[in-house]
Amino acid sequence: EDQVTQSPEALRLQEGESSSLNCSYTVSGLRGLFWYRQDPGKGPEFLFTLYSAGEEKEKERLKATLTKKESFLHITAPKPEDSATYLCAVRIYNQGGKLIFGQGTELSVKP
Amino acid sequence: DTEVTQTPKHLVMGMTNKKSLKCEQHMGHRAMYWYKQKAKKPPELMFVYSYEKLSINESVPSRFSPECPNSSLLNLHLHALQPEDSALYLCASSQFVSEKLFFGSGTQLSVL
């Protein structure tokens, strides 16, 4: 069964304290892994797409990496405005437009 | 314009009401989606339209009826909903079904 698992469920950091979020997946054929950020009461905001093992993408304080079994979202020197829920989702071959989402990691960064 | 616009932002309806949610994008995207999201849960796919044709229906109850009048518009017609249908309803679009999704801000629906 295709599955996406994110850990931890919640993460509390002090401002400037770097850390990583994990997204592990078990799927039949990966067609892309997506990271989104979601603020309360808003729709998810696209961050990155990764397609193959070894790929890395960066944007400001965020860096996403991909292996054959998992992806990491590294947050360097986070600020309070980075507080949000981070969602990982995978697209699988032969399933059209369907994305399988993980449960999300709720990140809180305190000043 | 890189926005997906959803209206209304909030909706309260009784179980006997009929209402519609609207979604619009002007990015030339050919795939559009409806998702349902409960508090503290990830979005759940409801419907996918590709080139204005329904391509995925995730066994959604018939009280939810999607419509894609043209390539820029997506509606979700609601009828005889249940209190458990209360949720954030998200619209999204993508260039094609294999591409990244752009989400709207959602409609927060409460069914009394």
Side-chain angles (χ1 to χ4, degrees):
Chain A
E1 182 187 349
D2 299 316
Q3 200 166 3
V4 179
T5 304
Q6 289 188 246
S7 61
E9 289 185 13
L11 181 62
R12 286 177 172 73
L13 300 174
Q14 288 296 126
E15 184 171 2
E17 181 186 2
S18 301
S19 189
S20 296
L21 314 183
N22 177 263
C23 171
S24 63
Y25 59 91
T26 307
V27 299
S28 48
L30 184 69
R31 200 179 176 188
L33 185 141
F34 302 80
W35 282 100
Y36 287 87
R37 168 198 169 123
Q38 187 172 24
D39 294 300
K42 300 284 183 67
E45 176 188 349
F46 172 78
L47 295 173
F48 304 109
T49 309
L50 302 166
Y51 289 105
S52 55
E55 193 173 356
E56 298 183 354
K57 295 269 179 77
E58 279 190 75
K59 178 182 177 181
E60 297 179 355
R61 294 178 292 283
L62 300 177
K63 179 179 177 180
T65 62
L66 182 65
T67 72
K68 287 187 178 179
K69 293 186 177 181
E70 60 191 348
S71 176
F72 291 94
L73 184 65
H74 307 277
I75 304 177
T76 302
K79 298 182 177 182
E81 53 262 42
D82 294 321
S83 298
T85 295
Y86 290 84
L87 294 163
C88 165
V90 300
R91 180 166 278 134
I92 302 166
Y93 279 103
N94 300 323
Q95 291 204 18
K98 185 173 181 177
L99 281 179
I100 301 176
F101 280 89
Q103 295 295 310
T105 293
E106 187 175 355
L107 174 66
S108 174
V109 182
K110 298 299 183 186
Chain B
D1 185 358
T2 58
E3 271 194 9
V4 176
T5 304
Q6 289 188 243
T7 55
K9 292 194 184 305
H10 302 275
L11 179 63
V12 179
M13 60 187 291
M15 289 191 284
T16 58
N17 292 156
K18 285 185 181 182
K19 297 285 185 183
S20 296
L21 309 184
K22 296 185 183 304
C23 175
E24 191 168 4
Q25 57 88 13
H26 294 290
M27 294 178 277
H29 290 173
R30 302 317 300 266
M32 295 186 79
Y33 311 74
W34 281 114
Y35 280 84
K36 172 183 177 179
Q37 187 176 27
K38 292 275 203 178
K40 305 286 188 184
K41 297 290 186 183
E44 295 175 35
L45 182 65
M46 300 175 73
F47 303 104
V48 180
Y49 275 83
S50 178
Y51 289 88
E52 297 148 58
K53 287 186 168 42
L54 184 65
S55 62
I56 295 179
N57 176 341
E58 289 286 285
S59 303
V60 178
S62 60
R63 56 186 185 269
F64 296 92
S65 175
E67 178 195 20
C68 189
N70 61 54
S71 60
S72 300
L73 293 174
L74 187 66
N75 298 321
L76 186 63
H77 302 297
L78 314 173
H79 173 55
L81 294 192
Q82 304 297 310
E84 59 264 29
D85 296 322
S86 298
L88 181 68
Y89 287 84
L90 295 163
C91 174
S93 70
S94 62
Q95 185 67 39
F96 307 108
V97 292
S98 59
E99 302 295 320
K100 63 190 178 191
L101 269 60
F102 291 82
F103 284 86
S105 289
T107 294
Q108 188 65 55
L109 173 68
S110 296
V111 182
L112 304 178

